[in-house]
C-alpha cells in the first residue's frame, strides 16, 4: 500500500502541515520518490508510517513533548520498559500540576462569575481582575 502525504495525514487524523512538521523534527520519515518508485516530487508512505504517526499523536495527546516522543519512539524499538515507565511517571506529575492549575483557574472564574452576576452596575469584576492581573493564579 502506498499512501500520499495527504492520505497519510488523513489516516493519522492530522493535517499535511503537521506531517511535514513531524518530518522536520525527525519523528516521521521523509521518503524520497526515487526510493519508493513514486512520481516526481511525490512521496509515498506505508502502514508503518501510519502506525508511527498514530503513535506520535497518541503520545502528544498524553501530554508528551516532541523531544520525549522522539525518545519514546527509540524505546519502542529498544523495549526499555523501565525508561518508558519513568517517563510516564514524570508526565503524570506534570499533568497533575496542570490539573491543579486549571482547577484554581476554574474556581477563580466561578467566583468572579458569581460576583459579576450579583450586580449590573459598576465595573465588571471579571474584567477588573484581568486588568489587575489577579485572576486565576
Amino acid at each position: 500500500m502506498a499512501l500520499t502525504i495527504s492520505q497519510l495525514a488523513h489516516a493519522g487524523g492530522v493535517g499535511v502541515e503537521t506531517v511535514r512538521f513531524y518530518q522536520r523534527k525527525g519523528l516521521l520519515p521523509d521518503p524520497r520518490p526515487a526510493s519508493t518508485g513514486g512520481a516526481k516530487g511525490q512521496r509515498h508512505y506505508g502502514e508503518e508510517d501510519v502506525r508511527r504517526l498514530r503513535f506520535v499523536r497518541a503520545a502528544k495527546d498524553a501530554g508528551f513533548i516532541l523531544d520525549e516522543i522522539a525518545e519514546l519512539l527509540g524505546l519502542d524499538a529498544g523495549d526499555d520498559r523501565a525508561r518508558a515507565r519513568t517517563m510516564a511517571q514524570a508526565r503524570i506529575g506534570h499533568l497533575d500540576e496542570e490539573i491543579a492549575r486549571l482547577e484554581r483557574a476554574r474556581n477563580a472564574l466561578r467566583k468572579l462569575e458569581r460576583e459579576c452576576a450579583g450586580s449590573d452596575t459598576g465595573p465588571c469584576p471579571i474584567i477588573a481582575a484581568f486588568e489587575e492581573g489577579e485572576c486565576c493564579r
Side-chain angles (χ1 to χ4, degrees):
M1 168 176 90
L3 301 173
T4 64
I5 192 169
S6 64
Q7 291 168 325
L8 172 66
H10 180 73
V14 300
V16 169
E17 288 306 314
T18 300
V19 171
R20 289 186 179 127
F21 176 75
Y22 290 160
Q23 287 173 331
R24 286 191 302 274
K25 295 297 182 180
L27 299 174
L28 293 175
D30 187 2
R32 296 295 159 194
S35 66
T36 60
K40 184 175 181 179
Q42 190 172 32
R43 294 166 173 86
H44 290 277
Y45 303 87
E47 281 299 319
E48 179 58 24
D49 300 307
V50 173
R51 186 196 71 77
R52 191 171 178 99
L53 178 56
R54 288 179 177 159
F55 180 102
V56 171
R57 277 255 353 256
K60 189 107 175 79
D61 288 347
F64 287 97
I65 62 172
L66 296 182
D67 288 342
E68 293 169 329
I69 294 171
E71 184 176 350
L72 285 170
L73 284 165
L75 296 177
D76 181 45
D79 200 27
D80 188 347
R81 287 183 175 200
R83 178 63 185 141
R85 189 171 45 255
T86 299
M87 291 177 72
Q89 291 166 342
R91 180 56 37 207
I92 290 167
H94 291 293
L95 290 171
D96 287 343
E97 291 170 6
E98 183 68 8
I99 289 167
R101 185 190 67 76
L102 290 169
E103 286 176 342
R104 286 190 303 274
R106 180 184 58 203
N107 292 337
L109 284 172
R110 281 185 175 157
K111 179 180 179 275
L112 289 169
E113 187 272 334
R114 284 191 303 272
E115 291 174 8
C116 185
S119 173
D120 287 335
T121 60
C124 173
I126 297 169
I127 295 172
F130 289 153
E131 287 175 341
E132 296 168 11
E134 296 178 5
C135 179
C136 308
R137 291 192 180 158

